[in-house]
Amino acid sequence: GEDVEQSLFLSVREGDSSVINCTYTDSSSTYLYWYKQEPGAGLQLLTYIFSNMDMKQDQRLTVLLNKKDKHLSLRIADTQTGDSAIYFCAESLSGGGADGLTFGKGTHLIIQP
Amino acid sequence: KAGVTQTPRYLIKTRGQQVTLSCSPISGHRSVSWYQQTPGQGLQFLFEYFSETQRNKGNFPGRFSGRQFSNSRSEMNVSTLELGDSALYLCASSPMDGSNTGELFFGEGSRLTVL
C-alpha cells in the first residue's frame, strides 16, 4: 500500500538552509509534491516534480528526487521566519489528484532567531 | 481569480446530527477533491468529482458522501456524526484541462467540531 513518511519536526536558524526529507513506498508514483500549511490556513502548493526528473529548482526552493531509494527532499535556502509552517510531502499516481494524493504527516519547520 | 471558497469555515454539531459542507472551486476548474485532516491520521483523501461524477473514493464509511453540480461547485455530507469526525475538511480544485501540471489548489477548510 501507499505510505509517505516524514520527520515531525525540524529546527533551523534564520538564514541557514532547511532540508526536509520524505520517503514514499509506491514505486508507481508519477507526481510528487511539497505543500505548505500555515496556522489556520489550507494547503499551499510549493512545488512538484515528475518522477522522470531528479531535480527541480524554483527560487529558494530545490527539490531532489532519488527514485531508486524513493526519497524526496525539499531544500529551502536562506530560511526566513515567514517559512515557519508545516510542510507536507505528497505522492500521486496521476496529476491533478484524480486518484487522490497520499500525504505524509507533515514536518513542522521551526525557525530560531 | 478567486481561490477555492469553502463554507462554513467553522461549525459545531452534536453526535448523531448530519452536516453539509460546501466548496466553490476556482473558476474554470472542473475537478473537486475533498480531504479530511486530523491530528492523528493527518490528511486523508475522501473523494474526487469531475463533471458531476465521483471518480474515486477513499477509505471512509458510507456516512461520508458528496456531489458535484453542473457549475462544478461541490458539497460533502456527513450523516450520523461521531466524535471522531471532528476535523478540518479541505476542498481542492484542479483544472484537469490536459495541462497536466499536477496542481491541486486548496481552500482554507471547514473546521467541524462534534460534541
Side-chain angles (χ1 to χ4, degrees):
Chain A
E2 300 171 8
D3 199 13
V4 177
E5 302 214 348
Q6 305 176 236
S7 300
L8 285 183
F9 295 96
L10 175 66
S11 179
V12 298
R13 287 186 182 275
E14 190 175 358
D16 287 351
S17 291
S18 306
V19 180
I20 304 171
N21 294 301
C22 166
T23 58
Y24 60 98
T25 56
D26 194 336
S27 57
S28 302
S29 294
T30 308
Y31 298 83
L32 295 138
Y33 309 85
W34 284 104
Y35 281 87
K36 175 183 180 182
Q37 186 177 36
E38 297 182 40
L43 275 72
Q44 173 195 355
L45 177 68
L46 286 176
T47 187
Y48 60 92
I49 190 167
F50 299 134
S51 60
N52 62 357
M53 299 167 65
D54 51 20
M55 187 181 99
K56 182 177 180 182
Q57 188 152 5
D58 184 2
Q59 299 183 343
R60 291 191 299 124
L61 305 179
T62 303
V63 178
L64 295 177
L65 174 61
N66 181 328
K67 199 173 177 185
K68 174 176 165 289
D69 295 338
K70 296 179 194 159
H71 181 268
L72 183 72
S73 69
L74 173 69
R75 178 177 179 269
I76 305 172
D78 187 26
T79 308
Q80 303 298 310
T81 54
D83 296 323
S84 181
I86 304 174
Y87 290 81
F88 292 92
C89 169
E91 63 172 356
S92 173
L93 298 180
S94 64
D99 58 341
L101 300 187
T102 301
F103 285 87
K105 292 284 176 73
T107 299
H108 289 71
L109 179 60
I110 300 162
I111 316 300
Q112 298 174 14
Chain B
K1 243 184 193 179
V4 176
T5 305
Q6 292 188 244
T7 57
R9 289 291 313 279
Y10 303 91
L11 66 167
I12 300 173
K13 294 284 188 178
T14 56
R15 279 181 297 175
Q17 287 187 311
Q18 66 93 26
V19 67
T20 299
L21 308 177
S22 179
C23 172
S24 293
I26 291 172
S27 177
H29 285 195
R30 298 166 64 190
S31 168
V32 174
S33 307
W34 289 89
Y35 288 80
Q36 181 196 63
Q37 186 178 24
T38 60
Q41 298 299 316
L43 281 150
Q44 293 185 289
F45 172 68
L46 280 157
F47 25 65
E48 188 264 355
Y49 288 87
F50 179 79
S51 292
E52 302 177 65
T53 301
Q54 185 185 91
R55 295 194 295 184
N56 279 293
K57 184 173 165 57
N59 189 24
F60 279 83
R63 300 184 298 106
F64 291 80
S65 63
R67 58 179 175 168
Q68 186 181 35
F69 302 95
S70 58
N71 62 357
S72 293
R73 192 177 70 84
S74 178
E75 289 180 347
M76 67 163 283
N77 183 277
V78 188
S79 62
T80 320
L81 284 165
E82 300 177 0
L83 295 179
D85 297 333
S86 293
L88 181 66
Y89 290 88
L90 291 163
C91 169
S93 73
S94 177
M96 295 300 274
D97 57 1
S99 61
N100 221 23
T101 59
E103 294 182 78
L104 283 186
F105 297 83
F106 281 84
E108 294 190 318
S110 293
R111 184 165 295 281
L112 170 65
T113 302
V114 181
L115 302 176

